[in-house]
Amino acid sequence: MDKRQQIIPLGDMNGIYIISEEGRVSFSILPNNEDALSLDKINEDPLVQISCTGDSSGLGFSAGETRHNSGLTMDMKYESIDVKEDGDEKTVTTVTKSDNGLVARHVVEFTQGSRGVRVHTEVLNEGKEPVMIEALSSVNITGITPYTDDVARDRLVLHRYRSRWSAEGRHETRTIEELLLEPSWANFGFRCEKFGCLGSMPIRGFFPFAAIEDVGANVMWAISLACSSSWQFEITRSDSNLNLTCGLADFEFGHWRKELRPGEVFTSPEAYITAVAGGLADGESVETKLIDKACDRLLDVQRSKLLSHQRVSELPAIFNEYCTTWGEPSEQRIKELLSVIKGSDFKYFVIDAGWYADEITGWQDNMGDWNVANDLFPNGMKPVVEMINQAGMEAGIWFELETVGKDSNMVDDTPHLLTRDGKVVISGTRRFWDMRQTWVEDYLTEKVIDFLNDNGFKYIKIDYNDTIGMGCDGAESYGEGLRQCVEATKSFFRKIRKCVPDIAIEVCSSGGHRLEPSFMELGDFLSFSDAHEEREIPVIAADLQNLILAQKSQIWAVLRKDDEPKRIAYSVCAGMYGVLCISGDVEGLSKEKWKLAIDGVSFYKKVSPIIVSGITKRFGPFQNSNRALKDYQASVRYFENKALVLVHSFEHEDVQQIQIPLDGKYRICDIYEAGDHGVSIEGNNMVVSFKESFDALAVLIER
């Protein structure tokens, strides 16, 4: 079969476009190293995967499992590839067209200096009849792996990150053979590993991320999908080439279909993609794991989208009273807390849930009314904000603005609530505003935006504590209704930023259930997890450094009055994997324990430039159970000529001595610890020891 190849440089990567004799276009991306490539073995697997109502499924018993290589997909034929460069930006647009008038534009965007690319698909109906789209990819990478002529047995590994409530970001690896993705003896019987998430909590089960590693060539392909509604990944195969595809969850998996009338355009969510080869970088003596390299490269895309005020070199410390009052804040309690923490270098004081509590029904189920509780705040919120400002901090407040609790006065406002099959969507004790409606936007503008401005708040924590499930009424499908509602929510986030001067936005969803790129880009801070004061916090926080920018990852450090000093150090050190957020019994701590905590805040502020801009190398055994941690976890985060070393000791016997490899010769500049752990540097290793379990320390080192 005659094939044409076009290779387009994208920084330290190459975009590979292969056009078959029949006009089908396949896409891959590779590190631009000099290794021999077997591109000729790549069979056609079109770069735009699309299907519509009435379409035929692909071959090999794939109906009901995947729409990959559907009849419409295979009908899309090559029209053009256009490369445009504008300053630091390069855009590669590939156009294909079907016989029924559908035009697909596959768009790759690259910014000089970035180590990842952004990819999306636009579909235009140039035909004379409406078309109901039931599947659409954001990207399809094919030809994995081109570094061998055969099926690459025992060398391809899938990496992904699982997620549960209070257990976000657990790294998982599976070989392609374990997943039964080897081609059959006849190259028939289509292979597909499909995973994703349904609903309005996009980090529920998995993160929208996948990477394929070729351990033979030491190369990895990785994708992070920026999708806030139902999404899917597919790893597919019918021959020696493996394919990695992602996009909106299709009709069979995610109840999504979208009608395109003549002249209409639909755009898929963006996917962020990178390809990287392993090996030591210049000056390195300790190799970075390939998955860590790939993830850091993908974070380049999020870095490129930072707003001007987010391009910081230092991080704030935050105090949030939730784990102090557990939903019972009041003017008096805040006054008492401020008398303790003022002057301690916190930038924000956040009033969390409960400020709107009803005297009879409480606070947990009356979201939606958003009236200040008169018994808790008899003078309203403005004097409290002024009190926080006078203590040298900016005031923040909690909202769960998309939901309506069962005890709210608005719970019977059915015309403005989401429905499915005409019935109000109820999840647990929550209903949901239809964020697409002008009335809802106006109501929330008054209750949220006007409230923030009238009272002088400079920080809002926006929580979201349930999911609407498969979707809702008001569109061609449940999944499209869901997508529209979530997009309307993100538009309201943007409105808050536009209308409230200098506001800082924290994105929260029962902890980390919205940690996907498009939501994360809306926030200044991201709630990493609801594991408020659990021992596994440093493990979760370290896992998440591969998936979210550390400068946004807000980590709880909850202090209890009965905590031993080593436990205070353990909690504060865990917070140094991102943005430190203190809470707990600060009023009941002894002077010595409070000083230890505040010394930790000062140390954190000193090392925050490393947290913002560094890359982490992690050491210690994989933890089979986050709830029963064994041995230790250590990390070294490097930036310029300095590094931050964090060590957490878990369950162990006898004296535990740990050696941590360093990437060169360093000297110790500062240590944060409770007690003496005999920290020393011997050659290119740091040595520390722990006599007791569940202790921690942080060390600043410099070349």
Side-chain angles (χ1 to χ4, degrees), residues 463-521:
D463 211 339
Y464 184 73
N465 291 306
D466 224 315
T467 172
I468 69 173
M470 70 177 73
C472 58
D473 296 332
E476 302 94 317
S477 60
Y478 296 148
E480 175 61 10
L482 166 66
R483 188 194 67 83
Q484 292 176 4
C485 285
V486 174
E487 291 303 312
T489 292
K490 292 193 291 187
S491 293
F492 194 78
F493 274 55
R494 297 184 189 100
K495 185 174 183 179
I496 293 172
R497 190 175 296 285
K498 179 181 178 181
C499 296
V500 185
D502 303 320
I503 192 71
I505 297 176
E506 177 188 343
V507 176
C508 181
S509 178
S510 289
H513 284 81
R514 274 183 165 167
L515 295 179
E516 58 81 25
S518 66
F519 251 118
M520 292 195 291
E521 288 157 10

Side-chain angles (χ1 to χ4, degrees), residues 33-256:
N33 52 24
E34 300 301 321
D35 292 346
L37 302 177
S38 300
L39 297 179
D40 289 341
K41 82 170 188 176
I42 298 177
N43 292 323
E44 54 193 30
D45 203 90
L47 76 175
V48 174
Q49 294 288 323
I50 185 171
S51 188
C52 65
T53 301
D55 194 10
S56 64
S57 61
L59 297 174
F61 325 119
S62 62
E65 181 178 27
T66 179
R67 296 291 187 93
H68 201 86
N69 288 349
S70 69
L72 178 57
T73 294
M74 305 307 280
D75 183 44
M76 305 291 289
K77 299 301 190 298
Y78 172 76
E79 291 277 315
S80 63
I81 295 179
D82 179 60
V83 181
K84 290 185 178 179
E85 297 194 50
D86 183 6
D88 289 339
E89 301 294 324
K90 176 184 283 189
T91 303
V92 184
T93 303
T94 306
V95 179
T96 59
K97 188 173 182 178
S98 70
D99 292 338
N100 67 352
L102 277 185
V103 176
R105 292 192 287 257
H106 177 274
V107 182
V108 178
E109 297 174 281
F110 169 71
T111 302
Q112 289 294 335
S114 178
R115 297 167 297 166
V117 297
R118 310 185 305 278
V119 185
H120 70 270
T121 301
E122 301 167 2
V123 181
L124 167 65
N125 185 1
E126 290 186 346
K128 297 180 180 180
E129 300 294 333
V131 177
M132 186 71 77
I133 304 298
E134 294 193 343
L136 178 64
S137 65
S138 294
V139 68
N140 177 42
I141 299 175
T142 191
I144 302 174
T145 175
Y147 297 99
T148 176
D149 290 319
D150 57 24
V151 298
R153 185 167 290 113
D154 297 325
R155 60 187 283 171
L156 294 180
V157 178
L158 168 66
H159 296 254
R160 53 189 173 183
Y161 288 88
R162 290 186 174 270
S163 184
R164 301 293 185 197
W165 181 75
S166 290
E168 294 86 347
R170 186 176 178 84
H171 183 209
E172 174 189 77
T173 60
R174 301 287 298 276
T175 68
I176 293 307
E177 291 77 19
E178 286 177 318
L179 296 169
L180 287 179
L181 289 174
E182 288 183 284
S184 70
W185 60 272
N187 284 345
F188 190 73
F190 197 71
R191 283 23 181 165
C192 179
E193 172 73 8
K194 189 170 189 170
F195 69 96
C197 180
L198 270 63
S200 50
M201 281 179 152
I203 311 299
R204 194 166 57 105
F206 289 96
F207 278 73
F209 171 96
I212 302 292
E213 179 180 7
D214 178 348
V215 298
N218 200 18
V219 170
M220 179 175 284
W221 297 260
I223 304 178
S224 182
L225 180 65
C227 185
S228 309
S229 53
S230 299
W231 57 267
Q232 67 185 38
F233 273 74
E234 292 182 324
I235 303 92
T236 62
R237 194 176 206 175
S238 62
D239 53 30
S240 60
N241 297 285
L242 197 71
N243 314 298
L244 179 57
T245 316
C246 68
L248 286 165
D250 61 30
F251 182 64
E252 289 160 342
F253 184 63
H255 310 277
W256 179 81

Side-chain angles (χ1 to χ4, degrees), residues 418-592:
L418 287 182
T419 62
R420 187 161 54 239
D421 292 336
K423 304 294 184 181
V424 172
V425 176
I426 304 174
S427 188
T429 60
R430 285 168 169 77
R431 284 73 167 162
F432 304 86
W433 290 122
D434 187 342
M435 298 294 290
R436 298 167 292 186
Q437 294 187 19
T438 300
W439 184 93
V440 172
E441 180 183 346
D442 291 344
Y443 177 78
L444 291 177
T445 297
E446 176 189 350
K447 288 292 186 177
V448 179
I449 292 175
D450 292 351
F451 176 84
L452 294 172
N453 281 325
D454 291 346
N455 291 284
F457 284 102
K458 295 298 183 182
Y459 185 112
I460 180 171
K461 177 179 178 179
I462 306 177
D463 211 339
Y464 184 73
N465 291 306
D466 224 315
T467 172
I468 69 173
M470 70 177 73
C472 58
D473 296 332
E476 302 94 317
S477 60
Y478 296 148
E480 175 61 10
L482 166 66
R483 188 194 67 83
Q484 292 176 4
C485 285
V486 174
E487 291 303 312
T489 292
K490 292 193 291 187
S491 293
F492 194 78
F493 274 55
R494 297 184 189 100
K495 185 174 183 179
I496 293 172
R497 190 175 296 285
K498 179 181 178 181
C499 296
V500 185
D502 303 320
I503 192 71
I505 297 176
E506 177 188 343
V507 176
C508 181
S509 178
S510 289
H513 284 81
R514 274 183 165 167
L515 295 179
E516 58 81 25
S518 66
F519 251 118
M520 292 195 291
E521 288 157 10
L522 297 174
D524 301 287
F525 306 106
L526 313 166
S527 178
F528 90 116
S529 180
D530 269 355
H532 298 105
E533 51 190 300
E534 301 307 306
R535 287 173 167 173
E536 59 263 34
I537 283 179
V539 177
I540 298 170
D543 286 340
L544 289 177
Q545 280 196 338
N546 270 0
L547 298 164
I548 66 180
L549 293 175
Q551 72 171 77
K552 292 187 176 186
S553 183
Q554 187 171 318
I555 302 165
W556 290 103
V558 179
L559 314 177
R560 293 297 174 210
K561 61 184 179 181
D562 295 328
D563 282 348
E564 297 179 23
K566 67 170 185 172
R567 173 62 190 191
I568 291 175
Y570 186 98
S571 298
V572 174
C573 286
M576 295 185 201
Y577 278 101
V579 180
L580 180 62
C581 180
I582 299 287
S583 192
D585 304 334
V586 296
E587 303 153 286
L589 291 174
S590 67
K591 290 183 179 180
E592 293 77 16

